[in-house]
């Protein structure tokens, strides 16, 4: 909270501001270095009060690497390939130095323990996928911060309750991330005076990906893999949906557009704050659902999540089609 005003002042002084364009929702020049404050709050609190064992030290190392590449991207813009290489390095640190990986599907598709090679490959996809899903959801004032806060608080509670000696210190990781985000959100809700930027979204996404993997490995609830998908519902749904739409149109899945879920809800007439609260509410409801019915088993939970995703996608698509017809008429 104390860092953000100084960052805003320096950003305006040095003209380090985000320019509005066809894809953005904001209409004025705004600093995008809020991730610096989130990272400062998170790392300082964690290193002072947290236990850095059980892979947390390697998690911090990965965060530091991603912080600097995100900072460079916010200042001068770098290629997606360079960002991917750095994400690969950060992922390698936690996988190979801390042995943080998904070792079992816990019965999903009838698969239990994974072969070592498949374990590393799938863990890599999870970390890269979740990191970039959080990065992509950062499109409205307060949206990414709100969604990540809900996810981190949920995972942190389970680490606190069931973590024990092996996973208990990840409750402090979650708590420090929530604290860093709450201090930042004070200035990020509409109309935001600062944005998270890649500096914050890459770091937040990376932390959430590691927390998710450890949550699955902790097996504190039945059907942990499916529950984890539910906890991450909004970022994963949005990323998979827009990627599918782009591919169906013959475009690259990484091509920018205005098809994200928050763009569609804004088009319905919702204001920015209402959209953020609605998406946060949807994510919270899905979390309550998967946690309440975790004893259904992975197959039924996955089927329920898929059914809800299809209904939501159809609703967004039908509304868009009706909106286009109304404009044409």
């Amino acid at each position: 909270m104390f860092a953000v005003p100084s960052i805003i002042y320096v950003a305006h002084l040095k003209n380090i501001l985000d320019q509005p364009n066809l894809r953005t929702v904001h209409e004025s020049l705004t600093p995008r270095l809020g991730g610096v404050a989130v990272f400062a709050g998170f790392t300082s609190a964690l290193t002072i009060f947290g236990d850095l064992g059980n892979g947390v030290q390697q998690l911090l190392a990965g965060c530091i690497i991603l912080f600097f590449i995100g900072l460079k991207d916010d200042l001068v813009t770098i290629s997606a390939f360079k960002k991917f290489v750095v994400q690969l390095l950060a992922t390698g640190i936690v996988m190979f130095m801390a042995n943080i990986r998904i070792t079992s599907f816990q019965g999903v598709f009838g698969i239990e323990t994974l072969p070592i090679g498949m374990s590393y490959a799938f863990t890599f996809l999870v970390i890269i996928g979740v990191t970039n899903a959080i990065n992509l959801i950062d499109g409205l004032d307060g949206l990414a911060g709100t969604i990540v806060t809900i996810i981190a608080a949920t995972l942190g509670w389970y680490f606190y309750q069931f973590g024990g000696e092996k996973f208990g210190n990840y409750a402090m990781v979650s708590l420090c991330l929530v604290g860093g985000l709450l201090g930042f959100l004070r200035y990020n809700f509409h109309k935001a005076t600062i944005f998270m930027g890649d500096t914050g979204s890459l770091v937040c996404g990376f932390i959430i990906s590691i927390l998710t993997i450890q949550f699955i490995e902790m097996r504190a609830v039945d059907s942990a893999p499916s529950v984890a998908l539910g906890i991450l519902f909004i970022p994963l749904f949005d990323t998979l949906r827009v990627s599918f739409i782009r591919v169906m149109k013959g475009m690259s899945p990484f091509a920018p557009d205005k098809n994200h879920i928050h763009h569609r809800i804004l088009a319905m007439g919702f204001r920015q704050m209402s959209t953020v609260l609605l998406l946060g509410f949807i994510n919270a409801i899905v979390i309550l659902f998967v946690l309440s019915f975790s004893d259904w088993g992975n197959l039924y939970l996955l089927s329920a999540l898929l059914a809800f995703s299809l209904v939501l996608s159809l609703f967004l698509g039908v509304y868009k089609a009706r909106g286009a017809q109304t404009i044409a008429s």
Side-chain angles (χ1 to χ4, degrees):
M1 286 182 68
F2 287 111
V4 171
S6 298
I7 295 171
I8 294 172
Y9 172 76
V10 172
H12 281 283
L13 189 67
K14 299 297 183 181
N15 198 31
I16 310 171
L17 304 170
D18 190 54
Q19 300 274 354
N21 56 51
L22 293 175
R23 289 187 61 245
T24 58
V25 177
H26 68 285
E27 299 174 350
S28 59
L29 295 170
T30 308
R32 55 180 308 193
L33 296 176
V36 174
V38 176
F39 178 79
F42 169 76
T43 53
S44 59
L46 186 58
T47 51
I48 292 169
F49 300 108
D51 176 1
L52 302 185
N54 300 328
V56 175
Q57 180 181 357
Q58 289 75 20
L59 167 62
L60 271 174
C63 288
I64 292 169
I65 293 170
L66 288 172
F67 168 78
F68 282 108
I69 198 66
L71 181 62
K72 182 177 180 181
D73 189 48
D74 286 335
L75 293 174
V76 297
T77 304
I78 60 173
S79 67
F81 176 74
K82 289 182 179 179
K83 283 197 286 187
F84 175 77
V85 170
V86 175
Q87 289 179 42
L88 181 63
L89 176 60
T91 301
I93 290 173
V94 294
M95 282 200 307
F96 296 108
M97 297 186 67
N99 199 33
I100 294 175
R101 56 190 175 89
I102 295 174
T103 59
S104 171
F105 275 8
Q106 301 178 29
V108 178
F109 308 124
I111 302 173
E112 291 292 340
T113 302
L114 293 173
I116 188 73
M118 186 180 294
S119 173
Y120 280 118
F122 186 72
T123 301
F124 167 76
L125 292 175
V126 169
I127 295 176
I128 297 296
V130 173
T131 300
N132 286 286
I134 299 298
N135 182 244
L136 290 174
I137 202 71
D138 185 25
L140 287 183
D141 296 348
L143 179 56
T146 298
I147 297 296
V148 171
T149 298
I150 292 170
I151 294 170
T154 302
L155 295 173
W157 171 254
Y158 277 87
F159 287 125
Y160 175 72
Q161 288 289 322
F162 307 105
E165 186 176 338
K166 187 174 182 181
F167 300 102
N169 59 332
Y170 282 91
M172 182 59 74
V173 175
S174 303
L175 185 64
C176 293
L177 179 58
V178 170
L181 285 167
L182 290 178
F184 163 72
L185 283 170
R186 160 69 176 78
Y187 305 93
N188 184 236
F189 276 119
H190 190 67
K191 290 184 174 182
T193 54
I194 191 168
F195 297 149
M196 182 181 288
D198 278 10
T199 311
S201 60
L202 288 176
V203 170
C204 288
F206 182 71
I207 297 169
I208 290 298
S209 70
I210 303 305
L211 292 176
T212 301
I213 290 169
Q214 296 296 62
F215 173 81
I216 294 171
E217 288 296 298
M218 183 171 63
R219 304 191 185 199
V221 297
D222 297 325
S223 314
S226 301
V227 171
L229 291 176
I231 293 173
L232 296 170
F233 179 76
I234 287 295
L236 295 184
F237 167 78
D238 182 58
T239 300
L240 292 173
R241 176 181 166 275
V242 295
S243 298
F244 177 77
I245 291 173
R246 290 166 185 170
V247 170
M248 292 301 292
K249 290 181 176 180
M251 301 164 56
S252 165
F254 307 106
D257 59 25
K258 297 193 75 169
N259 251 319
H260 288 280
I261 186 171
H262 51 271
H263 291 136
R264 301 273 31 96
I265 294 176
L266 283 174
M268 297 178 189
F270 285 84
R271 296 182 182 274
Q272 281 207 48
M273 180 67 80
S274 301
T275 301
V276 171
L277 294 177
L278 176 62
L279 291 174
F281 176 74
I282 292 173
N283 209 117
I285 289 297
V286 174
I287 289 173
L288 289 174
F289 173 80
V290 294
L291 290 174
S292 299
F293 298 101
S294 61
D295 57 348
W296 281 9
N298 282 301
L299 178 61
Y300 288 109
L301 273 186
L302 285 174
S303 299
L305 289 172
L306 178 60
F308 180 62
S309 299
L310 290 173
V311 169
L312 188 55
S313 295
L314 287 171
F315 174 75
L316 295 171
V318 167
Y319 184 88
K320 181 179 180 182
R322 287 180 176 174
Q325 290 174 3
T326 302
I327 292 171
S329 62

